[in-house]
Amino acid sequence: MDNIFKAIQQSAKKIKQAIDTKDIGYSESQNSSGELQLQLDIKCDMIIEEEFSKIASINSIASEEKEAAVQFHKQSPYFIAYDPIDGSSLLDVNLSVGSIFGIYKDGFEAKNMVAACYVVYGPRVEMVFAHNKVKLHLLQNNSFEYIKEIRLNNKGKLNAPGGTQQNWKPYHKQLVDSLFSEGYRLRYSGGMVPDLHQILLKGGGLFSYPATSDKPHGKLRKLFEVFPFAFIYKKAGGFAVDSKQDIMELGCSHIHDTSPCFFGSKYEIEKVIDAYKDR
Ligand code: F6P
């Protein structure tokens, strides 16, 4: 596990360098979710693939930017799913973006996840790695320094509601409105990594990306986005559900499957389950 953690750190430093210096123009191609790929998405995907290809314990990798998984070592235990730059459409307006990694043992299934990690490229570069505990690291003088353990409170103050409101179900709108009427504050940048990072570091709240009329299975991808954050939130003392069920109990039939998702602290997730019961 240690060499995987080091490879992620190495990739993050190179990605930071690429974000700072490379052209962010669109390429000619689309990824598997039909989004136009930036040249930087492709470059960062290659950076991570190259780092992981050096590690003997990695069996296969799956990337948000690749159609299919790539196998390195048939007998090895670890399977890694990653999104090289999540929220890359925010780069041209200079908002924070992130890389997400889910580390699975013996196959790409939520129940097989053994660790998860994300990196936020903002005014500073921070990395959160969840294995037994959830640990925050900060990039300083080209090296990641441990800062602290992250724990969620039982109730937070922030509300990050994703998706197009026009396409929300009425009971979802009621849930979002009821949090605002309790005094929750809107914090939504449109980047999953910085939005979930903010809720984690400020102690709690709710991030939601529900099933909508235009996206009945949600938008966010299970292997690269939803499962890693569910793992991290649960290890930090929070909760992650698809509206009814624990996300870590969900199956995955295709590497690019999506799911509705709700991440938060105890109080907010109880409200989600209540709002969606009998739906
Ligand atoms: O996965 C892509 C992504 O950019 C996430 O980072 C983010 O949470 C979400 O899409 C935003 O989607 P929307 O603009 O529909 O709220």
Side-chain angles (χ1 to χ4, degrees):
M1 188 62 66
D2 210 39
N3 48 3
I4 294 176
F5 184 45
K6 290 207 175 97
I8 293 175
Q9 292 189 339
Q10 196 53 26
S11 308
K13 290 182 208 170
K14 291 185 179 172
I15 290 174
K16 165 69 178 149
Q17 175 77 6
I19 290 172
D20 286 350
T21 57
K22 298 280 180 216
D23 187 358
I24 55 165
Y26 284 100
S27 69
E28 304 278 286
S29 48
Q30 291 188 343
N31 66 15
S32 303
S33 308
E35 295 160 346
L36 264 187
Q37 285 175 308
L38 297 177
Q39 289 158 25
L40 203 58
D41 287 321
I42 300 168
K43 166 85 187 157
C44 295
D45 184 31
M46 284 163 57
I47 289 173
I48 295 171
E49 179 173 1
E50 196 195 328
E51 290 301 323
F52 284 158
S53 70
K54 299 175 193 163
I55 299 179
S57 61
I58 298 181
N59 182 307
S60 300
I61 58 166
S63 163
E64 218 250 325
E65 303 302 334
K66 295 187 204 303
E67 192 63 44
V70 178
Q71 190 166 61
F72 292 146
H73 307 283
K74 208 167 176 221
Q75 307 302 334
S76 297
Y78 294 115
F79 289 66
I80 306 186
Y82 62 90
D83 186 350
I85 307 202
D86 185 73
S88 56
S89 64
L90 299 173
L91 280 167
D92 60 355
V93 290
N94 206 15
L95 285 176
S96 298
V97 295
S99 306
I100 313 170
F101 303 85
I103 301 157
Y104 303 81
K105 205 166 176 194
D106 303 329
F108 291 116
E109 289 284 346
K111 63 178 171 45
N112 294 342
M113 186 171 276
V114 289
C117 176
Y118 66 83
V119 183
V120 196
Y121 310 96
R124 307 197 292 189
V125 178
E126 292 185 330
M127 166 178 290
V128 170
F129 192 81
H131 188 30
N132 297 319
K133 292 179 174 174
V134 182
K135 294 180 175 174
L136 173 70
H137 299 78
L138 172 66
L139 184 62
Q140 282 174 316
N141 304 319
N142 209 35
S143 128
F144 279 95
E145 305 296 333
Y146 172 73
I147 303 292
K148 61 174 183 180
E149 187 188 335
I150 301 176
R151 292 294 298 169
L152 278 163
N153 300 327
N154 279 340
K155 184 178 185 312
K157 295 182 181 147
L158 306 182
N159 193 6
T164 309
Q165 292 201 27
Q166 206 180 20
N167 302 327
W168 288 352
K169 302 274 195 279
Y171 45 87
H172 183 75
K173 183 164 168 41
Q174 274 166 23
L175 165 70
V176 172
D177 288 348
S178 79
L179 288 172
F180 285 134
S181 64
E182 288 177 35
Y184 278 71
R185 283 172 295 150
L186 175 67
R187 291 290 182 270
Y188 191 76
S189 73
M192 185 184 194
V193 177
D195 287 338
L196 280 163
H197 187 59
Q198 178 163 208
I199 291 172
L200 265 182
L201 288 188
K202 301 282 187 196
L206 180 69
F207 175 97
S208 48
Y209 206 109
T212 53
S213 54
D214 59 333
K215 294 188 173 72
H217 302 292
K219 174 182 184 189
L220 301 176
R221 283 141 288 221
K222 287 180 175 174
L223 288 186
F224 318 110
E225 296 171 313
V226 177
F227 292 164
F229 271 110
F231 185 91
I232 293 166
Y233 264 62
K234 288 187 73 180
K235 287 282 177 194
F239 295 81
V241 293
D242 67 349
S243 76
K244 297 180 188 311
Q245 202 182 342
D246 183 337
I247 282 173
M248 297 310 285
E249 289 168 2
L250 299 178
C252 186
S253 50
H254 186 275
I255 63 167
H256 292 281
D257 270 2
T258 62
S259 173
C261 53
F262 300 79
F263 305 91
S265 17
K266 186 169 185 284
Y267 176 79
E268 295 85 13
I269 296 296
E270 279 172 1
K271 283 196 70 129
V272 171
I273 293 185
D274 193 46
Y276 275 81
K277 71 172 185 292
D278 311 325
R279 304 292 182 184

